[in-house]
Amino acid sequence: MFTVQPLTDHDRELIELARQTVDANTDGADGVHTMGAAVRGIDGRMYAGINLYHFTGGPCAELVALGRARAEGARELTTIVAVGNENRGIFGPCGRDRQILIDYHPGIRVILPTEDGPGSVLATDLLPGAYRWTPTPD
């Protein structure tokens, strides 16, 4: 079993950025399932993303936020969160996102809902015994 850490003020700030991102870009209550995500770099900067839902399996909001952070030079990340549109709240990452998180950022904390309210856990706790792929330089 793993330990859920209580939310910090920085976590709440990250959740708010993800919420603002999804609220500003939602497809609406009767539209496509829209998610927003935000990630924090080790330097405190935050990066947001929105999913691109598509029947072929477009990128999740978490992956878009990770890509944005990388594109803006952030290589070390501390925390990530995903939030649903229409006030659906915080969501844990899907299996594909979990695998990518542990491959690229095994020490990142993931904010997710728990029985006792939102908290954060290490990405590696979400996919125990996972295959470990190591990115290699181009």
Side-chain angles (χ1 to χ4, degrees):
M1 197 52 158
F2 50 84
T3 303
V4 176
Q5 299 294 318
L7 294 181
T8 66
D9 288 341
H10 283 136
D11 293 340
R12 289 182 193 83
E13 183 181 34
L14 198 64
I15 294 165
E16 182 60 18
L17 175 59
R19 189 195 60 75
Q20 288 174 3
T21 300
V22 74
D23 285 353
N25 298 288
T26 186
D27 292 314
D30 57 352
V32 176
H33 174 81
T34 309
M35 298 290 289
V39 63
R40 182 181 298 278
I42 198 165
D43 63 357
R45 291 177 48 201
M46 298 184 297
Y47 309 88
I50 193 102
N51 72 316
L52 297 173
Y53 181 83
H54 191 265
F55 73 92
T56 62
C60 298
E62 294 95 329
L63 300 184
V64 175
L66 289 171
R68 181 172 180 199
R70 174 58 74 89
E72 293 188 32
R75 297 293 189 268
E76 295 183 58
L77 306 175
T78 63
T79 316
I80 191 167
V81 66
V83 175
N85 67 336
E86 302 295 318
N87 297 312
R88 291 184 296 126
I90 297 168
F91 282 75
C94 71
R96 177 178 66 168
D97 293 345
R98 291 172 189 214
Q99 184 69 54
I100 291 169
L101 285 170
I102 66 168
D103 288 340
Y104 279 90
H105 305 284
I108 197 169
R109 295 205 68 81
V110 179
I111 299 171
L112 51 94
T114 73
E115 293 176 3
D116 299 320
S120 71
V121 301
L122 286 172
T124 52
D125 289 338
L126 295 176
L127 205 56
Y131 168 80
R132 295 300 300 266
W133 173 76
T134 303
T136 57
D138 294 339

